[in-house]
Amino acid sequence: MSFIQLSQLTKAFKNAETPAVNQIDLKIEKGEIITLLGPSGCGKTTTLRMLAGFEQPTSGSIYIGDRVVYDDRTYIPPEKRGIGMVFQDYALFPHLTIEKNIMFGLNKWSTRAKKERAKEVLELVGLDGYGKRYPNELSGGQQQRVALARALAPRPHVVLMDEPFSNLDAGLRERMRYDVTTILRKADKTAIIVTHDQKDAFAVSDRVVVMNEGIIQQIASPREMYRCPKNCFVAQFVGKTNLLTGTLCSDMKHVDTYIGRVSLPEQSQFPVEDVRISIRPEGCRLAENGMYSGRVERVTYGGEYQEVEVRLGDQNVSSQPMVVYAPIEQEIEVGSVISFDITPELVALVEA
Ligand code: ADP
Ligand code: MG
């Protein structure tokens, strides 16, 4: 059995038309770092709060470490679930020192043990010697690490973090992605992190759970999620993509689309002949005499690459042009014709 198991977990708030979380099944192994990724309102926080015990599910069950903490006959309160929670706004007590903030969750320990543990976790998060300061004397990234230290102090089985990076600016955000995962790995914790940001999710997790409208869309490693999105929602939410309709050829290795025949990375069984494919912009490589060509409508400099919008062959003017990434050193003029090839590894058959 997995370390954490959610089965058919559902939360329907009163007066809501559809459940906030709708029959989700999720298994998490010990030591894994998982992210729940999805747009605002898709049910991420509600899922986390049900796991922590702050929100009563409508139905389903939750197991943590071989123990049922919620089902139709059981409700274990938050403080007995062995969970450490880091809230989106960190929720540090402003009138308490960092040390006292951390000691707060250890109420049954002796004062000496509390102090020792506070010192230990402050060391773990790289804030040795900050114990006597107050939260407002620390930077955002340091407060974040205190919140994590406080969550880790009682030695929880699981750490839950709700949007831990959303209050940080770009540079610090990258740094904290690295720091948080390093700390979690060092402490050998199982963690579930909520985020609406694909880059956060890819940078920190072993596996990503993409949700939309209360339903799990796909569970996969970042690499697999990017290369083999299961459906149109995932393909578009996780990075940029070109979605094309087409017909699967009888060899099951190609799809005929309006831009021509596109090769698939592998032979694909699909229940229907009319299919959709996702082609990543970086899978389109500019090449002289490439297989596909079209007129450039727009070029946007993205820093690491240029995003080129190309209208191909008989592509309807009202439809979206293809998006292709080109190296920045290449000069590309609007109105010129470019040609490119498509790397099959960045093509995927997707469900509607
Ligand atoms: P996310 O964290 O993915 O942005 P939430 O889990 O917070 O989404 O919310 C999912 C849905 O449930 C939203 O439609 C939200 O409005 C609704 N919701 C969340 N909390 C409550 C509540 N306490 N009462 C009623 N509706 C709620
Ligand atoms: Mg939320």
Side-chain angles (χ1 to χ4, degrees):
M1 192 167 157
S2 300
F3 188 58
I4 297 175
Q5 199 160 323
L6 311 184
S7 304
Q8 293 291 296
L9 192 66
T10 299
K11 176 69 189 185
F13 286 108
K14 256 189 226 136
N15 305 326
E17 263 175 41
T18 52
V21 175
N22 200 348
Q23 302 190 324
I24 66 171
D25 288 310
L26 178 60
K27 291 178 181 180
I28 299 169
E29 302 307 325
K30 201 163 174 21
E32 262 194 308
I33 299 179
I34 295 284
T35 47
L36 303 182
L37 172 68
S40 175
C42 74
K44 307 180 294 292
T45 296
T46 305
T47 303
L48 212 63
R49 288 173 55 81
M50 287 193 283
L51 246 164
F54 299 132
E55 199 76 71
Q56 183 92 357
T58 308
S59 57
S61 64
I62 304 173
Y63 279 77
I64 300 174
D66 290 345
R67 191 165 66 121
V68 59
V69 297
Y70 182 82
D71 67 10
D72 49 12
R73 282 165 310 182
T74 321
Y75 169 75
I76 307 279
E79 65 277 11
K80 297 205 171 125
R81 290 192 183 191
I83 273 177
M85 180 109 178
V86 179
F87 296 92
Q88 187 165 359
D89 57 2
Y90 315 143
L92 299 176
F93 301 113
H95 60 288
L96 295 183
T97 60
I98 300 308
E99 184 186 46
K100 293 245 162 72
N101 261 283
I102 294 172
M103 288 162 65
F104 187 84
L106 307 174
N107 47 7
K108 295 215 175 105
W109 300 32
S110 73
T111 307
R112 192 168 150 191
K114 282 185 199 175
K115 285 200 167 187
E116 262 169 33
R117 184 61 182 152
K119 189 168 181 327
E120 236 171 62
V121 288
L122 279 175
E123 249 167 57
L124 178 70
V125 302
L127 289 176
D128 209 6
Y130 282 72
K132 298 291 176 223
R133 295 209 198 180
Y134 286 86
N136 66 4
E137 296 172 324
L138 300 185
S139 71
Q142 289 170 331
Q143 291 183 28
Q144 163 79 276
R145 279 185 276 164
V146 172
L148 182 54
R150 185 175 64 181
L152 290 168
R155 301 197 161 83
H157 305 301
V158 185
V159 175
L160 306 180
M161 303 180 86
D162 196 355
E163 303 274 4
F165 311 111
S166 61
N167 294 333
L168 308 171
D169 56 41
L172 189 55
R173 199 178 175 111
E174 257 175 52
R175 173 81 221 165
M176 284 312 291
R177 281 179 194 148
Y178 177 78
D179 285 358
V180 165
T181 44
T182 308
I183 293 163
L184 289 171
R185 302 265 188 230
K186 225 199 275 175
D188 197 20
K189 291 298 169 213
T190 308
I192 304 172
I193 300 175
V194 158
T195 177
H196 62 274
D197 183 296
Q198 176 232 329
K199 286 206 170 122
D200 284 350
F202 278 21
V204 304
S205 40
D206 297 312
R207 287 189 301 150
V208 180
V209 178
V210 173
M211 293 178 69
N212 189 33
E213 296 178 347
I215 294 170
I216 291 181
Q217 304 291 313
Q218 187 169 3
I219 305 174
S221 68
R223 176 180 288 265
E224 189 189 340
M225 188 74 79
Y226 194 77
R227 288 177 56 156
C228 310
K230 192 167 159 264
N231 58 34
C232 292
F233 176 82
V234 176
Q236 283 175 305
F237 192 74
V238 173
K240 263 214 166 174
T241 203
N242 296 286
L243 288 173
L244 274 56
T245 53
T247 313
L248 189 59
C249 298
S250 54
D251 66 1
M252 312 271 192
K253 283 187 197 160
H254 301 87
V255 173
D256 282 328
T257 72
Y258 79 86
I259 66 166
R261 187 160 284 196
V262 179
S263 301
L264 296 169
E266 56 195 29
Q267 208 164 17
S268 302
Q269 295 287 349
F270 223 64
V272 288
E273 217 176 77
D274 294 324
V275 295
R276 280 161 207 269
I277 54 172
S278 150
I279 305 174
R280 294 291 183 197
E282 61 275 36
C284 304
R285 291 178 195 266
L286 297 200
E288 263 177 64
N289 307 317
M291 238 183 107
Y292 313 89
S293 58
R295 197 166 290 280
V296 174
E297 288 200 338
R298 206 158 92 125
V299 181
T300 312
Y301 289 90
E304 298 112 329
Y305 54 81
Q306 350 179 33
E307 190 177 305
V308 184
E309 292 180 17
V310 199
R311 196 165 293 277
L312 284 96
D314 56 356
Q315 186 170 12
N316 190 327
V317 261
S318 64
S319 70
Q320 291 277 41
M322 282 278 287
V323 177
V324 169
Y325 289 165
I328 44 163
E329 65 276 14
Q330 203 143 352
E331 213 148 310
I332 297 173
E333 276 178 34
V334 171
S336 66
V337 170
I338 57 167
S339 76
F340 59 92
D341 290 315
I342 297 176
T343 313
E345 280 65 36
L346 287 163
V347 177
L349 266 181
V350 291
E351 290 165 17

